[in-house]
Amino acid sequence: MLIDGFLDELWSTSGLSDNTLSAYRSDLRYLTLFLASHQTPLAKALKADVRAYLEWRQQAGFAKSSSARVLSALKRFYGYLLAKSLINHDPCAELKSVKVGQRLPETLSEHDVERLLAEPDTEDTLECRDQAMLELLYATGLRVTELVRLTMDQISLRQGVVRVVGKGGKERLVPMGEVAMAALARYLSHARTLLLGASQSDIVFPSSRGQMMTRQTFWHRIKLYARRANVHPELSPHTLRHAFATHLLNHGADLRVVQLLLGHSSLSTTQIYTHVAKLRLAQLHQAHHPRG
């Protein structure tokens, strides 16, 4: 199948994450269904067909950021087919990328983070695990996918660092901080053994069934503690990663250091957090200064 061949090559050559590959697969399947409704095979699509699909997405109310990713996937897919001589022309060759405005990430105040991290009950096995995960997430700025996939050989309590394998297979060393190290040590000393039971696994944070946790499951756990702690801002799987970066900048961290800690390949990706930090400082000034 054309889509499978394309994704297999992407997986082996580009280092894209599983989530991105899954999104590309979904994008191409939706295009296939759209074209089928017009009796057009995927490999026979013309520029007008692709444009009609993008216009349909716009009319259906899909976000511009989603449509930008779709067009990127289609350009790669048809470029692949052309390179393999499976088509004679690229229907996306003259289509311009969708312009997406800069969207500031949702973040939490330091007070909100403190309440969220204090919510799990460390006497409970699952909540002891969750607190260690939350503390580590906020202390290191890991992506949730990186967190749930951590293995025992990637953490060192003695050195106080975690070795992260990020996007594209790139490795980085990130310090954990004393609070996260204490939470992790407490969890490893007892709760992890109870979660694993008779199972054998090198996953640091197994699920209640002793297997690797999904990012969706951990997101639901975060939202559970947010409700209990009465933390109101809308949360996403990356909320604590955003808070990590923003709070570092608020306290004077160098932008390039934050870039390295987050594992961004480009400084421009990290620069969005300077806008978040400035916005937060302006809000604090307005709320608390007598002439704000």
Side-chain angles (χ1 to χ4, degrees):
M1 188 176 178
L2 295 178
I3 295 176
D4 288 335
F6 164 66
L7 293 174
D8 286 344
E9 178 151 316
L10 267 190
W11 178 84
S12 63
T13 61
S14 68
L16 293 177
S17 70
D18 290 343
N19 292 330
T20 301
L21 292 174
S22 177
Y24 277 16
R25 181 183 296 278
S26 178
D27 294 337
L28 291 168
R29 282 178 174 171
Y30 277 121
L31 175 64
T32 302
L33 291 173
F34 177 85
L35 293 173
S37 68
H38 294 77
Q39 289 77 50
T40 303
L42 191 60
K44 298 291 185 181
L46 301 174
K47 181 171 70 173
D49 297 317
V50 177
R51 184 171 308 207
Y53 175 61
L54 295 174
E55 289 175 353
W56 171 81
R57 286 181 58 87
Q58 183 178 358
Q59 293 169 3
F62 287 91
K64 283 188 176 181
S65 57
S66 172
S67 294
R69 188 204 65 228
V70 168
L71 183 54
S72 174
L74 300 189
K75 282 177 175 286
R76 282 190 160 191
F77 174 67
Y78 284 109
Y80 159 82
L81 295 185
L82 191 64
K84 296 291 184 181
S85 299
L86 297 172
I87 58 175
N88 297 320
H89 72 283
D90 181 354
C92 298
E94 298 177 7
L95 293 178
K96 294 182 179 180
S97 298
V98 179
K99 291 185 178 180
V100 181
Q102 188 181 55
R103 183 171 61 89
L104 299 181
E106 290 287 337
T107 189
L108 297 175
S109 69
E110 293 180 37
H111 179 61
D112 284 339
V113 170
E114 291 291 340
R115 287 160 50 207
L116 180 65
L117 299 187
E119 186 57 37
D121 177 6
T122 56
E123 297 300 317
D124 179 89
T125 301
L126 282 177
E127 297 202 8
C128 181
R129 177 204 65 191
D130 294 345
Q131 191 199 42
M133 295 181 78
L134 290 169
E135 289 284 3
L136 191 60
L137 201 61
Y138 180 55
T140 60
L142 298 186
R143 300 175 179 92
V144 172
T145 301
E146 296 168 344
L147 179 75
V148 298
R149 291 181 177 178
L150 277 181
T151 54
M152 293 299 293
D153 64 346
Q154 289 180 254
I155 59 172
S156 173
L157 288 174
R158 183 176 61 83
Q159 296 180 341
V161 297
V162 56
R163 179 174 54 84
V164 189
V165 181
K167 291 184 176 180
K170 295 179 181 178
E171 290 191 2
R172 66 187 190 276
L173 285 178
V174 185
M176 288 189 275
E178 293 182 1
V179 177
M181 287 172 61
L184 185 58
R186 179 172 53 245
Y187 157 72
L188 293 176
S189 68
H190 185 60
R192 181 174 181 273
T193 304
L194 293 177
L195 286 173
L196 284 175
S199 303
Q200 297 292 322
S201 174
D202 62 349
I203 292 296
V204 177
F205 300 111
S207 69
S208 57
R209 291 179 291 180
Q211 302 171 345
M212 181 187 291
M213 191 189 310
T214 65
R215 65 195 297 270
Q216 290 82 5
T217 295
F218 184 58
W219 182 17
H220 290 308
R221 300 294 292 178
I222 293 177
K223 292 198 291 185
L224 166 68
Y225 297 120
R227 287 195 300 270
R228 280 173 29 182
N230 202 28
V231 172
H232 294 296
E234 186 67 26
L235 300 183
S236 78
H238 280 326
T239 296
L240 285 175
R241 176 172 165 87
H242 298 325
F244 162 83
T246 306
H247 298 170
L248 277 176
L249 290 168
N250 281 346
H251 287 276
D254 183 86
L255 188 63
R256 290 195 178 276
V257 172
V258 177
Q259 176 195 359
L260 291 173
L261 293 174
L262 290 173
H264 287 161
S265 57
S266 170
L267 188 63
S268 61
T269 308
T270 315
Q271 283 176 330
I272 190 171
Y273 292 107
T274 62
H275 299 289
V276 179
K278 288 176 182 176
L279 177 62
R280 177 62 182 158
L281 290 174
Q283 290 172 338
L284 287 172
H285 181 276
Q286 185 175 18
H288 299 292
H289 193 278
R291 295 184 181 274

